[in-house]
Amino acid sequence: MFVDSDDWLKEGALKNCYEELEGGNYDVLKYGFQRVVDGVYGEEIVSSFQEGIYDRDKIERIILPQIVGPFQLFNYDINPLKSAWSGIYRRQFLQENNICFESERIILNEDYLYTLSVMLAAKNVKIIHKVYYYYDFRDGSLSKRYIKNMLARKLELHKAYERELNKYALFSRYEKEYYSSCVDGFYACFTNECGKWQSHSKVALQNVRSILNMAECQKALIKCKHNNLSFKGLSIYLLMRFKLAALMMFLYRRR
């Protein structure tokens, strides 16, 4: 089990997890979390997958598509819980498959890569909709400040995703999901440049244009799953596809 330094577990979480695991030989148990914003307990979030036990076939059909890439681009309400701290893992399973974390200095969202490696190797997964983890969402967290070298670290994450999928000969099966993940990564880099923490608009605009002009970005936009987008999602997609950086920045900062 993993707990970030500024987060904590619900009282009785370990006992409850033990009871959930007792009698089974599960590789992974996934549970929900609750956001705590400035000391105020907020929304409880559970997996977008139904509760139950998933064998290898169900993992490949149901879980992996959403772990590789988003169910719907630019829709962050559908949460498959890709953070490593939203689960407990059988130690022998991790050791046998040599699953460990990559350096966050090289790869951004190393949790996502860890979870992908876990789901690619797991024989079974148990998902419950009980909340055992408290996530402290503070002003100093990575999700609320400018991230240096974000693009380079996202590109390394994309490469690592591709390597993992190829290791299991599954890249072609999840190709659209993979490129959707890449688009999501490029969009995250865009929001990083346009957030309220970035005061230099000209520099931000130049950086956004550089991102949208990248061959990797345009390739991902062409190959991703973009036939199920909401109106908002389609608008973002078209702005990215036609490299309308200035309009993207204007609309994002006025939202």
Side-chain angles (χ1 to χ4, degrees):
M1 177 183 280
F2 303 100
V3 183
D4 284 353
S5 58
D6 49 356
D7 300 338
W8 63 99
L9 297 174
K10 186 175 184 178
E11 187 176 355
L14 292 174
K15 178 177 180 292
N16 292 335
C17 284
Y18 179 84
E19 291 171 351
E20 291 286 351
L21 293 165
E22 197 172 17
N25 191 32
Y26 311 114
D27 290 332
V28 186
L29 170 70
K30 296 287 282 185
Y31 44 78
F33 72 97
Q34 185 172 14
R35 283 197 179 101
V36 183
V37 183
D38 298 324
V40 178
Y41 289 78
E43 182 184 9
E44 291 189 349
I45 298 173
V46 297
S47 173
S48 55
F49 304 117
Q50 292 183 356
E51 286 188 294
I53 298 167
Y54 293 73
D55 60 16
R56 187 63 212 165
D57 177 64
K58 287 183 178 179
I59 291 171
E60 291 193 6
R61 286 191 296 105
I62 300 171
I63 294 180
L64 269 170
Q66 287 190 52
I67 297 299
V68 177
F71 175 79
Q72 185 182 54
L73 267 173
F74 315 119
N75 181 351
Y76 302 105
D77 294 328
I78 302 172
N79 196 334
L81 300 189
K82 296 197 289 184
S83 295
W85 45 250
S86 64
I88 188 166
Y89 311 87
R90 190 164 61 86
R91 185 170 182 240
Q92 186 179 354
F93 156 73
L94 296 176
Q95 292 173 328
E96 288 173 349
N97 291 280
N98 195 30
I99 297 173
C100 55
F101 286 95
E102 298 285 346
S103 171
E104 64 179 345
R105 294 181 179 87
I106 300 171
I107 288 181
L108 193 64
N109 305 120
E110 71 281 3
D111 266 29
Y112 294 0
L113 178 59
Y114 185 89
T115 298
L116 175 63
S117 299
V118 163
M119 293 303 176
L120 284 169
K123 292 185 174 62
N124 51 57
V125 174
K126 185 174 183 179
I127 293 176
I128 58 175
H129 286 177
K130 295 173 183 175
V131 172
Y132 293 144
Y133 192 95
Y134 294 118
Y135 172 52
D136 190 12
F137 195 70
R138 297 183 297 176
D139 284 338
S141 67
L142 279 177
S143 52
K144 298 182 76 173
R145 60 182 169 86
Y146 186 76
I147 302 173
K148 294 181 179 180
N149 303 320
M150 185 175 187
L151 178 60
R153 291 160 69 195
K154 279 286 189 181
L155 290 173
E156 288 301 321
L157 176 68
H158 300 166
K159 291 176 186 176
Y161 263 45
E162 187 173 1
R163 285 197 302 270
E164 283 296 294
L165 289 168
N166 280 326
K167 185 165 74 175
Y168 291 87
L170 288 173
F171 182 82
S172 60
R173 179 170 179 174
Y174 302 112
E175 185 176 14
K176 284 187 177 295
E177 288 82 1
Y178 166 77
Y179 283 112
S180 293
S181 176
C182 293
V183 170
D184 191 64
F186 288 122
Y187 181 69
C189 293
F190 158 75
T191 61
N192 186 50
E193 296 297 335
C194 296
K196 61 183 179 181
W197 45 74
Q198 176 59 286
S199 58
H200 303 291
S201 295
K202 289 183 179 179
V203 174
L205 179 58
Q206 183 179 354
N207 291 340
V208 170
R209 281 178 174 152
S210 296
I211 294 167
L212 295 179
N213 281 315
M214 290 179 63
E216 296 95 330
C217 180
Q218 290 301 313
K219 179 180 179 180
L221 286 161
I222 293 169
K223 288 180 169 287
C224 72
K225 185 172 66 174
H226 55 266
N227 61 343
N228 66 337
L229 300 181
S230 65
F231 176 77
K232 177 184 175 182
L234 181 60
S235 301
I236 296 170
Y237 175 83
L238 292 174
L239 289 168
M240 292 181 71
R241 182 72 182 88
F242 292 103
K243 308 177 187 178
L244 300 175
L247 183 55
M248 280 188 73
M249 274 193 65
F250 174 77
L251 293 173
Y252 183 81
R253 290 190 166 182
R254 285 182 61 85
R255 69 191 177 93

